[in-house]
Amino acid sequence: MSIRLHEIHPSLAHFPLVLVPLAIASDLIGRLTDNRVLMRFAKALMPVAAASGAATAAAGLAAQEAVTRTGEANDLLVTHRNLNAGIVGVVAGLAVARARTAYPGTGYLVTGLAVVAGMAYTAYLGGKMVYRHGVGVAAAGGVRDGKSPDLGRDGLAESARVAAANVIEAARHASRDLGAGRIAPALRKR
């Protein structure tokens, strides 16, 4: 049994979904209780949370090109991708800001709480893609041939090549969608 390329993204997604809220909650509780240990923990954790978000985003781009989606499922994917790209950027900014101070500021905490809410929403969109539309589920026809190779020992080099090609293709699709004003099409009223 081995993992396929498109399955890496949901495997990694749990890390930023836990680490970002943990860092923000630790800073918030630390600030409210003047607990310096919690604030030092949060300060050290935020760069790890940001790195996990970046890795998850890269895996998501590779997965995007490996799965089939049309109509509402594609709108969900585009919205999920674009909102998460913004979230990854904001979390990186939070990590940089937090590294520069011993105490979290109010703006940092408010932004962090907004990010956590945004992450919950984009996680919901990801789940909706899978559970309602079967995106990435082979039995539902949700995987494109040749775009999600098996990652077994014998297939690592091929998987790396396909992943790189998928990320490049996904970046082109993201650029095209953004250029056409398709930022969050799943938010349109139907």
Side-chain angles (χ1 to χ4, degrees):
M1 177 184 228
S2 63
I3 190 168
R4 293 184 66 188
L5 180 63
H6 74 284
E7 296 167 333
I8 294 173
H9 174 69
S11 298
L12 294 177
H14 299 90
F15 290 101
L17 287 171
V18 170
L19 297 176
V20 172
L22 180 59
I24 297 299
S26 297
D27 259 337
L28 181 61
I29 294 166
R31 182 166 161 194
L32 292 173
T33 63
D34 198 30
N35 185 322
R36 293 171 194 228
V37 171
L38 274 178
M39 289 185 282
R40 280 194 303 271
F41 170 72
K43 182 177 181 173
L45 183 58
M46 187 50 88
V48 176
S52 74
T56 301
L61 290 174
Q64 170 186 312
E65 297 309 312
V67 299
T68 56
R69 74 269 177 201
T70 58
E72 183 184 4
N74 189 63
D75 288 349
L76 290 168
L77 185 140
V78 168
T79 303
H80 176 80
R81 178 197 65 214
N82 292 346
L83 294 179
N84 277 323
I87 287 169
V88 167
V90 172
V91 170
L94 288 173
V96 169
R98 189 62 184 94
R100 295 180 177 165
T101 182
Y103 298 95
T106 302
Y108 170 87
L109 292 170
V110 169
T111 302
L113 292 171
V115 160
V116 169
M119 290 171 66
Y121 179 69
T122 60
Y124 157 76
L125 293 177
K128 189 173 180 180
M129 279 188 288
V130 172
Y131 296 116
R132 184 174 296 171
H133 297 284
V135 172
V137 179
V143 180
R144 293 169 61 195
D145 287 339
K147 294 290 190 167
S148 186
D150 192 313
L151 298 178
R153 273 189 299 225
D154 299 334
L156 287 178
E158 175 64 8
S159 294
R161 185 195 66 73
V162 171
N166 283 359
V167 168
I168 291 167
E169 191 175 351
R172 287 186 188 129
H173 286 137
S175 177
R176 184 193 66 222
D177 289 336
L178 291 169
R182 290 179 45 85
I183 297 168
L187 298 180
R188 289 190 314 253
K189 300 253 185 211
R190 291 194 178 263

